[in-house]
Amino acid sequence: MSNIAGRVREAFRGDQRVDADALIARLDAVRRFLTAVDGLLPDADLVPAHTLVERAGSRLALSRDHTVVALAGATGSGKSSLFNALAQLELSPVGVRRPTTGVTHACVWGPLEGANHLLDWTGVLPRHRFVRESALDADDETALHGLVLLDLPDFDSVQRSHRLEVDRLLGLVDLVVWVVDPQKYADRVIHDSYLREFHRHRDVTVVVLNQADRLPPAEVPRVLDDLRRLLDTDGLTGVPLLATTAIDPAGMVGLRDALERTVAERQAALRRLAGDVDTVVVGLDELVGSARPAGGPDDAAINGLNRALAGAAGVPAVTEAVERAYRHRAGAATGWPVVRGWRRLRPDPLRRLHLPGPSGDQPDPAENLVAATSVPDPTAAQRSALGLAIRAVADRAAADLPAAWPGAVTSAARSRLGDLPDALDRTIAGTDLGLDRRPLWWRIVGGAQWLVTLAAVVGLGWLVLGYALRALGLPRLDNPMVGQVPLPTLLLLGGLLAGLLVAALTRPVVRWAARRARDRVEQRLTARVAQVGDEYVLTPVRIVLGSYAQARDALRDAARR
Ligand SMILES: Nc1nc2c(ncn2[C@@H]2O[C@H](COP(=O)(O)OP(=O)(O)OP(=O)(O)O)[C@@H](O)[C@H]2O)c(=O)[nH]1
Ligand SMILES: [Mg+2]
């Protein structure tokens, strides 16, 4: 048994007064509960709570100066006889043909006007409403002013409509007087189907053993004891139990007194609703329990989700392409100018993925709306890994929750699964890969490459010119010497060698920088993809966990008597 059920059960205190404001606060708590769990728990489990909120709202809005009391029992137990005896008028026909009463009759003590809305709400037809206010006995009846007494059909009827009518009214009235007779007081139907169900309404339950005159006087206490024992078994320990005789005014005194006290207290309506709240709270307790889940999905599950999202988003393909693109672009900027042009002929690896290509070569922003990139679609394995990771997030988040909740958490985690691919793609497309800027050192190395190449070209031109002059027999050029080597030769060979040397020295640096660019982009993309996971998977899960916490707190407030 959970804390809440325990608290509700312990809270029964016989004729303890119910504070109207406290009751309204409890009903508000039930309302808050329903708002918190709306759409998360099966509607069928919430029907009693919705019914309570609706009924209690109506009852409290109607007259609180009236007390609606129903006479309920098996056919022939004497409900109509008691009704007439209390009213001291023949209002509800009493008969030998069973069942006699087919529709509910009502008698109001005091003016009918105030009670009419209440009777409209209970659905008693106007032609079956009576007023017990006669000038002759006005004083005798004052003690019952405010009583609205209902004579119900039999609940064990051969007529199904009677039973439905009884069940409907038992859900609405403020106090029930269960009428049993010496023959049928131990019948299973009344105990199993009715009295036991009312054990949370002990303080608005009265049981009368009618037709007591049919028993030898010495037998009455024995039958009452037996009945008391049965009531104890029904969970109705302590409810008022009286013997009545409808055909003898002296045999009505005890019941009349009990009704006068009830009417004077004006507590029955509140107690009945308090009992209803107790019943509903205990019913809901199983759905909510008292678990205090961790603040949200745990870190290991979130890391797993982020890895799966990165896989499904194609982050490895993009980072790979970034590394290659870096090498490609750096090579084009710093490579040996003699072969640089040839490099440019090869496509940029990022362009192939429809990611920002070489500077100024941005993809069309309109493409960003849907399927912005051409990053390969996730494979079946990546898709199933993502499914599993989402499941793991939900399972871990719902691990401590009662059985009704994990389903809601899983649905929330998967609720935006359909939007994920586009969201991931847009994120990849919108992430700055940091390759737009041409680093200064590329330009310096590139400039150096041009210089040495220029030197080689000058040397070559010089040599060619020297050969040409010699071939034409013209005066020779004076080749300055650097050490043993003529300057043009030095320029040509030195330039070519220096170009190759710079290219060879730059290559490992480019590789290293490309790996760094790849790591940087990987970090950036992983963070962005994690944001998508947060928005599309974790946030819906947190919302459900928040609803759970609100529902649990609301139910705890509703349980507070
Ligand atoms: N001796 C005796 N007879 C009673 C008493 N109360 C009711 N009766 C008789 O029991 C029979 C049934 O009484 P009703 O008042 O019609 O019983 P009911 O519970 O209204 O029956 P339904 O309307 O069919 O559900 C009638 O013949 C009554 O006269 C009582 O206290 N003593
Ligand atoms: Mg009757």
Side-chain angles (χ1 to χ4, degrees):
M1 183 174 68
S2 80
N3 296 340
I4 284 185
R7 212 178 309 157
V8 166
R9 243 162 255 183
E10 277 164 30
F12 282 111
R13 294 278 184 276
D15 54 10
Q16 186 189 39
R17 286 190 76 78
V18 172
D19 177 57
D21 291 337
L23 175 66
I24 290 168
R26 294 182 71 196
L27 287 164
D28 276 344
V30 175
R31 234 173 256 129
R32 272 192 282 126
F33 172 90
L34 287 171
T35 310
V37 303
D38 190 33
L40 299 176
L41 296 183
D43 286 342
D45 293 336
L46 305 176
V47 170
H50 280 292
T51 308
L52 164 70
V53 164
E54 210 265 318
R55 271 188 197 163
S58 308
R59 178 63 189 95
L60 290 173
L62 291 163
S63 168
R64 284 202 227 162
D65 292 333
H66 287 88
T67 305
V68 186
V69 176
L71 296 166
T75 184
S77 56
K79 300 177 294 297
S80 301
S81 303
L82 288 172
F83 181 81
N84 292 339
L86 285 164
Q88 296 167 44
L89 292 167
E90 291 300 312
L91 301 178
S92 183
V94 170
V96 280
R97 252 188 64 238
R98 303 261 74 87
T100 306
T101 311
V103 284
T104 304
H105 288 61
C107 182
V108 178
W109 273 255
L112 186 59
E113 294 82 63
N116 258 339
H117 288 306
L118 204 50
L119 287 168
D120 289 344
W121 180 62
T122 57
V124 178
L125 297 175
R127 66 172 179 279
H128 296 126
R129 299 176 188 177
F130 305 98
V131 187
R132 184 64 187 82
E133 196 179 40
S134 110
L136 293 174
D137 55 18
D139 283 348
D140 293 348
E141 298 299 306
T142 343
L144 285 179
H145 262 209
L147 172 65
V148 178
L149 188 64
L150 304 185
D151 176 23
L152 303 193
D154 50 326
F155 59 53
D156 57 347
S157 193
V158 287
Q159 303 280 345
R160 198 173 124 74
S161 61
H162 289 194
R163 186 171 177 149
L164 292 176
E165 170 77 342
V166 172
D167 288 348
R168 189 180 69 76
L169 279 162
L170 287 178
L172 301 178
V173 300
D174 302 332
L175 182 127
V176 183
V177 176
W178 298 95
V179 182
V180 297
D181 61 52
Q183 279 87 45
K184 294 203 279 182
Y185 74 88
D187 260 14
R188 291 252 314 277
V189 184
I190 181 168
H191 291 281
D192 292 355
S193 305
Y194 286 94
L195 290 171
R196 204 159 289 171
E197 293 292 307
F198 264 71
H199 73 269
R200 282 202 183 83
H201 291 93
R202 276 191 290 189
D203 27 12
V204 284
T205 296
V206 172
V207 181
V208 300
L209 175 71
N210 190 37
Q211 306 186 18
D213 58 302
R214 291 191 195 261
L215 288 169
E219 273 291 283
V220 175
R222 195 195 59 74
V223 175
L224 283 176
D225 281 352
D226 197 30
L227 180 51
R228 174 64 80 190
R229 192 182 48 75
L230 293 172
L231 292 174
D232 288 348
T233 324
D234 294 334
L236 289 169
T237 309
V239 299
L241 171 61
L242 314 159
T244 54
T245 301
I247 55 169
D248 174 8
M252 296 293 297
V253 175
L255 177 58
R256 225 189 133 81
D257 284 353
L259 293 179
E260 283 176 4
R261 271 200 309 280
T262 304
V263 168
E265 276 181 341
R266 291 197 178 9
Q267 274 281 300
L270 302 179
R271 282 190 188 139
R272 193 256 135 91
L273 294 176
D276 286 346
V277 180
D278 289 342
T279 309
V280 161
V281 164
V282 172
L284 294 176
D285 185 33
E286 201 179 304
L287 294 179
V288 172
S290 50
R292 188 167 281 282
D298 70 4
D299 289 348
I302 294 177
N303 289 341
L305 173 69
N306 291 344
R307 272 197 303 278
L309 283 170
V315 170
V318 176
T319 53
E320 171 88 359
V322 163
E323 187 174 349
R324 280 191 286 117
Y326 188 98
R327 290 212 301 265
H328 178 87
R329 294 178 197 183
T334 66
W336 199 34
V338 179
V339 291
R340 228 186 256 185
W342 165 75
R343 239 177 226 284
R344 288 227 171 86
L345 293 178
R346 285 193 287 164
D348 186 283
L350 285 180
R351 264 320 269 173
R352 254 185 277 160
L353 298 177
H354 285 106
L355 288 163
S359 255
D361 191 12
Q362 296 288 327
D364 179 357
E367 287 177 28
N368 279 4
L369 296 177
V370 212
T373 72
S374 300
V375 175
D377 282 341
T379 61
Q382 284 169 330
R383 235 173 280 183
S384 89
L386 180 58
L388 287 174
I390 291 177
R391 223 213 138 91
V393 164
D395 287 352
R396 296 291 309 130
D400 301 328
L401 301 186
W405 289 84
V409 175
T410 307
S411 305
R414 300 175 57 85
S415 59
R416 305 191 66 187
L417 192 56
D419 302 334
L420 260 179
D422 279 351
L424 289 172
D425 207 37
R426 277 199 304 274
T427 297
I428 301 276
T431 303
D432 173 17
L433 301 179
L435 291 191
D436 287 346
R437 230 169 22 85
R438 293 159 63 83
L440 183 61
W441 72 268
W442 287 11
R443 273 180 271 163
I444 292 170
V445 174
Q449 283 284 28
W450 279 116
L451 269 181
V452 294
T453 307
L454 191 66
V457 169
V458 168
L460 180 66
W462 197 329
L463 287 176
V464 169
L465 186 64
Y467 283 120
L469 290 175
R470 207 169 352 153
L472 295 171
L474 292 171
R476 288 173 170 221
L477 279 178
D478 214 7
N479 278 349
M481 299 293 282
V482 179
Q484 300 297 313
V485 189
L487 180 62
T489 312
L490 183 69
L491 282 176
L492 174 61
L493 293 180
L496 289 178
L497 267 176
L500 285 173
L501 191 68
V502 170
L505 289 176
T506 312
R507 185 166 300 180
V509 181
V510 167
R511 280 220 197 96
W512 172 81
R515 271 199 303 278
R516 265 189 42 140
R518 174 199 182 123
D519 292 348
R520 217 172 31 235
V521 164
E522 187 166 10
Q523 271 178 13
R524 211 173 282 174
L525 285 176
T526 308
R528 295 288 300 267
V529 159
Q531 278 173 8
V532 173
D534 198 278
E535 184 183 342
Y536 284 73
V537 180
L538 302 178
T539 300
V541 166
R542 287 198 197 99
I543 289 173
V544 176
L545 295 180
S547 299
Y548 169 78
Q550 282 171 8
R552 187 200 54 207
D553 293 349
L555 199 61
R556 205 183 43 213
D557 293 345
R560 211 167 274 152
R561 259 200 165 219

CSV table of all heavy atoms in Angstrom, one decimal, residues 408-454:
chain,number,residue,atom,x,y,z
A,408,ALA,N,4.2,6.6,-21.8
A,408,ALA,CA,4.0,8.0,-22.2
A,408,ALA,C,5.4,8.6,-22.4
A,408,ALA,O,5.6,9.5,-23.3
A,408,ALA,CB,3.3,8.7,-21.0
A,409,VAL,N,6.4,8.2,-21.7
A,409,VAL,CA,7.8,8.8,-21.8
A,409,VAL,C,8.3,8.3,-23.2
A,409,VAL,O,8.9,9.2,-23.9
A,409,VAL,CB,8.7,8.4,-20.7
A,409,VAL,CG1,10.1,8.9,-20.9
A,409,VAL,CG2,8.1,8.9,-19.3
A,410,THR,N,8.2,7.1,-23.5
A,410,THR,CA,8.7,6.6,-24.8
A,410,THR,C,8.0,7.3,-25.9
A,410,THR,O,8.6,7.7,-26.9
A,410,THR,CB,8.5,5.0,-24.9
A,410,THR,OG1,9.0,4.4,-23.7
A,410,THR,CG2,9.1,4.5,-26.1
A,411,SER,N,6.7,7.4,-25.8
A,411,SER,CA,6.0,8.1,-26.9
A,411,SER,C,6.5,9.6,-27.1
A,411,SER,O,6.7,10.0,-28.2
A,411,SER,CB,4.5,8.2,-26.7
A,411,SER,OG,3.9,7.0,-26.4
A,412,ALA,N,6.7,10.2,-25.9
A,412,ALA,CA,7.3,11.6,-26.0
A,412,ALA,C,8.6,11.6,-26.7
A,412,ALA,O,8.9,12.4,-27.5
A,412,ALA,CB,7.3,12.2,-24.6
A,413,ALA,N,9.5,10.6,-26.3
A,413,ALA,CA,10.8,10.6,-26.9
A,413,ALA,C,10.8,10.4,-28.4
A,413,ALA,O,11.6,10.9,-29.1
A,413,ALA,CB,11.6,9.5,-26.2
A,414,ARG,N,9.8,9.6,-28.8
A,414,ARG,CA,9.7,9.4,-30.3
A,414,ARG,C,8.8,10.3,-31.0
A,414,ARG,O,8.6,10.2,-32.2
A,414,ARG,CB,9.2,7.9,-30.4
A,414,ARG,CG,10.1,6.9,-29.8
A,414,ARG,CD,9.4,5.5,-30.0
A,414,ARG,NE,9.1,5.2,-31.3
A,414,ARG,CZ,9.9,4.6,-32.2
A,414,ARG,NH1,11.1,4.3,-31.8
A,414,ARG,NH2,9.6,4.4,-33.4
A,415,SER,N,8.2,11.2,-30.3
A,415,SER,CA,7.1,12.1,-30.9
A,415,SER,C,7.6,12.9,-32.1
A,415,SER,O,6.8,13.1,-33.0
A,415,SER,CB,6.5,13.0,-29.8
A,415,SER,OG,7.5,13.8,-29.3
A,416,ARG,N,8.8,13.3,-32.1
A,416,ARG,CA,9.3,14.1,-33.2
A,416,ARG,C,10.3,13.4,-34.1
A,416,ARG,O,11.0,14.0,-34.8
A,416,ARG,CB,9.9,15.4,-32.6
A,416,ARG,CG,8.9,16.1,-31.7
A,416,ARG,CD,9.3,17.5,-31.4
A,416,ARG,NE,9.3,18.4,-32.5
A,416,ARG,CZ,9.8,19.6,-32.5
A,416,ARG,NH1,10.3,20.1,-31.4
A,416,ARG,NH2,9.8,20.4,-33.6
A,417,LEU,N,10.3,12.1,-34.0
A,417,LEU,CA,11.2,11.3,-34.7
A,417,LEU,C,11.1,11.6,-36.2
A,417,LEU,O,12.2,11.7,-36.9
A,417,LEU,CB,10.9,9.8,-34.5
A,417,LEU,CG,12.0,8.8,-34.9
A,417,LEU,CD1,13.3,9.1,-34.3
A,417,LEU,CD2,11.5,7.4,-34.6
A,418,GLY,N,9.9,11.8,-36.7
A,418,GLY,CA,9.7,12.1,-38.1
A,418,GLY,C,10.4,13.3,-38.6
A,418,GLY,O,10.8,13.5,-39.7
A,419,ASP,N,10.5,14.3,-37.7
A,419,ASP,CA,11.1,15.6,-38.0
A,419,ASP,C,12.6,15.6,-37.9
A,419,ASP,O,13.3,16.5,-38.4
A,419,ASP,CB,10.6,16.7,-37.1
A,419,ASP,CG,9.1,16.8,-37.2
A,419,ASP,OD1,8.5,16.4,-38.2
A,419,ASP,OD2,8.5,17.3,-36.2
A,420,LEU,N,13.1,14.6,-37.3
A,420,LEU,CA,14.6,14.6,-37.0
A,420,LEU,C,15.5,14.6,-38.2
A,420,LEU,O,16.4,15.5,-38.2
A,420,LEU,CB,14.9,13.3,-36.2
A,420,LEU,CG,15.1,13.5,-34.6
A,420,LEU,CD1,15.5,12.2,-34.0
A,420,LEU,CD2,16.2,14.5,-34.3
A,421,PRO,N,15.2,13.8,-39.2
A,421,PRO,CA,16.2,13.8,-40.4
A,421,PRO,C,16.3,15.2,-41.0
A,421,PRO,O,17.5,15.7,-41.2
A,421,PRO,CB,15.5,12.9,-41.4
A,421,PRO,CG,14.7,12.0,-40.6
A,421,PRO,CD,14.2,12.8,-39.4
A,422,ASP,N,15.2,15.9,-41.2
A,422,ASP,CA,15.3,17.3,-41.8
A,422,ASP,C,16.0,18.2,-40.8
A,422,ASP,O,16.9,19.0,-41.2
A,422,ASP,CB,13.9,17.8,-42.1
A,422,ASP,CG,13.4,17.3,-43.4
A,422,ASP,OD1,14.2,16.6,-44.1
A,422,ASP,OD2,12.2,17.5,-43.7
A,423,ALA,N,15.7,18.1,-39.5
A,423,ALA,CA,16.3,19.0,-38.5
A,423,ALA,C,17.8,18.8,-38.5
A,423,ALA,O,18.6,19.7,-38.5
A,423,ALA,CB,15.7,18.8,-37.2
A,424,LEU,N,18.2,17.5,-38.5
A,424,LEU,CA,19.7,17.2,-38.5
A,424,LEU,C,20.3,17.8,-39.8
A,424,LEU,O,21.4,18.4,-39.7
A,424,LEU,CB,19.9,15.7,-38.4
A,424,LEU,CG,19.5,15.1,-37.1
A,424,LEU,CD1,19.6,13.6,-37.1
A,424,LEU,CD2,20.4,15.6,-36.0
A,425,ASP,N,19.7,17.6,-40.9
A,425,ASP,CA,20.2,18.0,-42.2
A,425,ASP,C,20.4,19.5,-42.2
A,425,ASP,O,21.4,20.1,-42.6
A,425,ASP,CB,19.3,17.5,-43.3
A,425,ASP,CG,20.1,17.4,-44.6
A,425,ASP,OD1,21.3,16.9,-44.5
A,425,ASP,OD2,19.6,17.7,-45.6
A,426,ARG,N,19.3,20.2,-41.7
A,426,ARG,CA,19.4,21.7,-41.7
A,426,ARG,C,20.5,22.1,-40.7
A,426,ARG,O,21.2,23.1,-41.0
A,426,ARG,CB,18.1,22.2,-41.1
A,426,ARG,CG,17.0,22.4,-42.2
A,426,ARG,CD,15.9,23.3,-41.8
A,426,ARG,NE,15.4,22.9,-40.5
A,426,ARG,CZ,14.4,22.1,-40.4
A,426,ARG,NH1,13.8,21.5,-41.5
A,426,ARG,NH2,13.9,21.8,-39.2
A,427,THR,N,20.7,21.4,-39.6
A,427,THR,CA,21.8,21.8,-38.7
A,427,THR,C,23.1,21.6,-39.3
A,427,THR,O,24.0,22.5,-39.2
A,427,THR,CB,21.7,20.9,-37.4
A,427,THR,OG1,20.4,21.1,-36.9
A,427,THR,CG2,22.8,21.2,-36.5
A,428,ILE,N,23.3,20.5,-40.0
A,428,ILE,CA,24.6,20.3,-40.7
A,428,ILE,C,24.8,21.4,-41.7
A,428,ILE,O,25.9,22.0,-41.8
A,428,ILE,CB,24.6,18.9,-41.4
A,428,ILE,CG1,24.4,17.8,-40.4
A,428,ILE,CG2,25.9,18.7,-42.2
A,428,ILE,CD1,25.6,17.3,-39.6
A,429,ALA,N,23.8,21.7,-42.5
A,429,ALA,CA,23.9,22.7,-43.5
A,429,ALA,C,24.2,24.0,-42.9
A,429,ALA,O,24.9,24.9,-43.5
A,429,ALA,CB,22.7,22.7,-44.4
A,430,GLY,N,23.6,24.3,-41.7
A,430,GLY,CA,23.8,25.6,-41.1
A,430,GLY,C,25.0,25.8,-40.3
A,430,GLY,O,25.2,26.9,-39.7
A,431,THR,N,25.8,24.7,-40.1
A,431,THR,CA,26.9,24.9,-39.2
A,431,THR,C,28.1,25.4,-40.0
A,431,THR,O,28.4,25.0,-41.1
A,431,THR,CB,27.3,23.5,-38.6
A,431,THR,OG1,26.2,23.0,-38.0
A,431,THR,CG2,28.5,23.6,-37.6
A,432,ASP,N,28.7,26.4,-39.4
A,432,ASP,CA,29.9,27.0,-40.0
A,432,ASP,C,31.1,26.1,-39.9
A,432,ASP,O,31.5,25.7,-38.8
A,432,ASP,CB,30.2,28.4,-39.3
A,432,ASP,CG,31.5,28.9,-39.8
A,432,ASP,OD1,32.0,28.5,-40.9
A,432,ASP,OD2,32.1,29.8,-39.1
A,433,LEU,N,31.6,25.6,-41.0
A,433,LEU,CA,32.6,24.6,-41.0
A,433,LEU,C,34.0,25.2,-40.8
A,433,LEU,O,35.0,24.5,-40.7
A,433,LEU,CB,32.6,23.7,-42.2
A,433,LEU,CG,31.3,23.0,-42.5
A,433,LEU,CD1,31.4,22.2,-43.8
A,433,LEU,CD2,30.9,22.0,-41.3
A,434,GLY,N,34.0,26.5,-40.8
A,434,GLY,CA,35.3,27.2,-40.5
A,434,GLY,C,36.3,27.2,-41.7
A,434,GLY,O,37.5,27.4,-41.4
A,435,LEU,N,35.9,26.8,-42.9
A,435,LEU,CA,36.8,26.7,-44.0
A,435,LEU,C,36.8,27.9,-44.9
A,435,LEU,O,37.4,27.8,-46.0
A,435,LEU,CB,36.5,25.4,-44.7
A,435,LEU,CG,36.8,24.1,-44.0
A,435,LEU,CD1,36.7,22.9,-45.0
A,435,LEU,CD2,38.2,24.1,-43.3
A,436,ASP,N,36.0,28.9,-44.6
A,436,ASP,CA,35.9,30.0,-45.5
A,436,ASP,C,37.2,30.9,-45.5
A,436,ASP,O,37.6,31.4,-46.5
A,436,ASP,CB,34.7,30.9,-45.1
A,436,ASP,CG,33.4,30.2,-45.5
A,436,ASP,OD1,33.5,29.2,-46.3
A,436,ASP,OD2,32.3,30.6,-45.0
A,437,ARG,N,37.7,31.0,-44.3
A,437,ARG,CA,38.8,31.9,-44.2
A,437,ARG,C,40.1,31.2,-44.7
A,437,ARG,O,40.3,30.0,-44.5
A,437,ARG,CB,39.1,32.2,-42.7
A,437,ARG,CG,39.2,33.7,-42.4
A,437,ARG,CD,39.1,33.9,-40.9
A,437,ARG,NE,39.5,32.8,-40.1
A,437,ARG,CZ,40.7,32.4,-39.8
A,437,ARG,NH1,41.7,33.1,-40.2
A,437,ARG,NH2,40.9,31.4,-39.0
A,438,ARG,N,40.9,31.9,-45.5
A,438,ARG,CA,42.2,31.4,-45.9
A,438,ARG,C,43.2,31.8,-44.9
A,438,ARG,O,43.5,33.0,-44.8
A,438,ARG,CB,42.5,31.9,-47.3
A,438,ARG,CG,41.6,31.4,-48.4
A,438,ARG,CD,41.6,32.4,-49.6
A,438,ARG,NE,43.0,32.4,-50.2
A,438,ARG,CZ,43.4,31.4,-51.1
A,438,ARG,NH1,42.5,30.5,-51.5
A,438,ARG,NH2,44.6,31.5,-51.6
A,439,PRO,N,43.8,30.9,-44.2
A,439,PRO,CA,44.8,31.2,-43.2
A,439,PRO,C,46.0,32.0,-43.8
A,439,PRO,O,46.3,31.8,-45.0
A,439,PRO,CB,45.3,29.9,-42.6
A,439,PRO,CG,44.3,28.9,-43.1
A,439,PRO,CD,43.6,29.4,-44.3
A,440,LEU,N,46.5,32.9,-43.0
A,440,LEU,CA,47.6,33.8,-43.4
A,440,LEU,C,48.8,32.9,-43.9
A,440,LEU,O,49.4,33.3,-44.9
A,440,LEU,CB,48.1,34.7,-42.2
A,440,LEU,CG,49.1,35.7,-42.5
A,440,LEU,CD1,48.7,36.7,-43.6
A,440,LEU,CD2,49.6,36.4,-41.3
A,441,TRP,N,49.0,31.8,-43.2
A,441,TRP,CA,50.2,31.1,-43.6
A,441,TRP,C,50.1,30.5,-45.0
A,441,TRP,O,51.1,30.3,-45.7
A,441,TRP,CB,50.6,30.1,-42.5
A,441,TRP,CG,49.7,28.8,-42.4
A,441,TRP,CD1,48.7,28.7,-41.6
A,441,TRP,CD2,49.9,27.6,-43.1
A,441,TRP,NE1,48.1,27.4,-41.7
A,441,TRP,CE2,48.9,26.7,-42.6
A,441,TRP,CE3,50.8,27.1,-44.0
A,441,TRP,CZ2,48.7,25.4,-43.0
A,441,TRP,CZ3,50.6,25.8,-44.5
A,441,TRP,CH2,49.6,25.0,-44.0
A,442,TRP,N,48.8,30.2,-45.4
A,442,TRP,CA,48.7,29.7,-46.8
A,442,TRP,C,49.2,30.8,-47.7
A,442,TRP,O,49.8,30.5,-48.7
A,442,TRP,CB,47.2,29.5,-47.1
A,442,TRP,CG,46.5,28.3,-46.4
A,442,TRP,CD1,47.0,27.5,-45.5
A,442,TRP,CD2,45.2,27.8,-46.8
A,442,TRP,NE1,46.1,26.5,-45.1
A,442,TRP,CE2,45.0,26.7,-45.9
A,442,TRP,CE3,44.3,28.1,-47.7
A,442,TRP,CZ2,43.8,25.9,-46.0
A,442,TRP,CZ3,43.1,27.4,-47.8
A,442,TRP,CH2,42.9,26.3,-46.9
A,443,ARG,N,48.8,32.0,-47.4
A,443,ARG,CA,49.1,33.1,-48.3
A,443,ARG,C,50.6,33.3,-48.4
A,443,ARG,O,51.2,33.6,-49.4
A,443,ARG,CB,48.4,34.4,-47.9
A,443,ARG,CG,47.0,34.4,-48.6
A,443,ARG,CD,46.2,35.6,-48.3
A,443,ARG,NE,45.4,35.4,-47.1
A,443,ARG,CZ,44.9,36.4,-46.4
A,443,ARG,NH1,45.1,37.6,-46.7
A,443,ARG,NH2,44.2,36.1,-45.3
A,444,ILE,N,51.2,33.2,-47.2
A,444,ILE,CA,52.7,33.4,-47.1
A,444,ILE,C,53.4,32.3,-47.9
A,444,ILE,O,54.2,32.6,-48.8
A,444,ILE,CB,53.2,33.4,-45.7
A,444,ILE,CG1,52.6,34.7,-45.0
A,444,ILE,CG2,54.7,33.4,-45.6
A,444,ILE,CD1,52.9,34.7,-43.5
A,445,VAL,N,53.0,31.1,-47.6
A,445,VAL,CA,53.6,30.0,-48.4
A,445,VAL,C,53.3,30.1,-49.9
A,445,VAL,O,54.2,29.9,-50.7
A,445,VAL,CB,53.2,28.6,-47.8
A,445,VAL,CG1,53.7,27.5,-48.6
A,445,VAL,CG2,53.6,28.5,-46.4
A,446,GLY,N,52.1,30.4,-50.1
A,446,GLY,CA,51.7,30.6,-51.6
A,446,GLY,C,52.5,31.6,-52.2
A,446,GLY,O,53.0,31.5,-53.4
A,447,GLY,N,52.7,32.8,-51.5
A,447,GLY,CA,53.5,33.9,-52.1
A,447,GLY,C,54.9,33.4,-52.3
A,447,GLY,O,55.6,33.7,-53.3
A,448,ALA,N,55.5,32.7,-51.3
A,448,ALA,CA,56.9,32.2,-51.4
A,448,ALA,C,57.0,31.3,-52.7
A,448,ALA,O,57.9,31.4,-53.4
A,448,ALA,CB,57.3,31.4,-50.2
A,449,GLN,N,56.0,30.4,-52.8
A,449,GLN,CA,56.0,29.5,-54.0
A,449,GLN,C,56.0,30.3,-55.3
A,449,GLN,O,56.7,30.0,-56.2
A,449,GLN,CB,54.7,28.6,-54.0
A,449,GLN,CG,54.8,27.5,-53.0
A,449,GLN,CD,55.7,26.4,-53.4
A,449,GLN,OE1,56.7,26.6,-54.2
A,449,GLN,NE2,55.5,25.2,-53.0
A,450,TRP,N,55.2,31.4,-55.4
A,450,TRP,CA,55.2,32.2,-56.6
A,450,TRP,C,56.6,32.8,-56.8
A,450,TRP,O,57.1,32.9,-57.9
A,450,TRP,CB,54.2,33.3,-56.5
A,450,TRP,CG,52.8,32.7,-56.9
A,450,TRP,CD1,51.7,32.6,-56.1
A,450,TRP,CD2,52.4,32.2,-58.2
A,450,TRP,NE1,50.7,32.1,-56.8
A,450,TRP,CE2,51.1,31.8,-58.1
A,450,TRP,CE3,53.1,32.1,-59.4
A,450,TRP,CZ2,50.4,31.3,-59.1
A,450,TRP,CZ3,52.4,31.5,-60.5
A,450,TRP,CH2,51.0,31.1,-60.3
A,451,LEU,N,57.2,33.3,-55.7
A,451,LEU,CA,58.5,34.0,-55.8
A,451,LEU,C,59.6,33.0,-56.4
A,451,LEU,O,60.3,33.4,-57.3
A,451,LEU,CB,59.0,34.5,-54.4
A,451,LEU,CG,58.5,35.9,-54.0
A,451,LEU,CD1,59.0,36.2,-52.7
A,451,LEU,CD2,59.0,36.9,-55.1
A,452,VAL,N,59.6,31.8,-55.8
A,452,VAL,CA,60.7,30.9,-56.2
A,452,VAL,C,60.4,30.4,-57.7
A,452,VAL,O,61.3,30.2,-58.4
A,452,VAL,CB,60.9,29.7,-55.3
A,452,VAL,CG1,61.4,30.2,-53.9
A,452,VAL,CG2,59.6,28.9,-55.1
A,453,THR,N,59.1,30.3,-58.0
A,453,THR,CA,58.8,29.9,-59.3
A,453,THR,C,59.2,31.0,-60.3
A,453,THR,O,59.7,30.8,-61.4
A,453,THR,CB,57.3,29.6,-59.4
A,453,THR,OG1,57.0,28.6,-58.4
A,453,THR,CG2,56.9,29.0,-60.8
A,454,LEU,N,58.9,32.2,-59.9
A,454,LEU,CA,59.2,33.4,-60.7
A,454,LEU,C,60.8,33.4,-60.9
A,454,LEU,O,61.2,33.6,-62.1
A,454,LEU,CB,58.8,34.7,-60.0
A,454,LEU,CG,58.9,35.9,-60.8
A,454,LEU,CD1,57.9,35.8,-62.0
A,454,LEU,CD2,58.6,37.2,-60.0
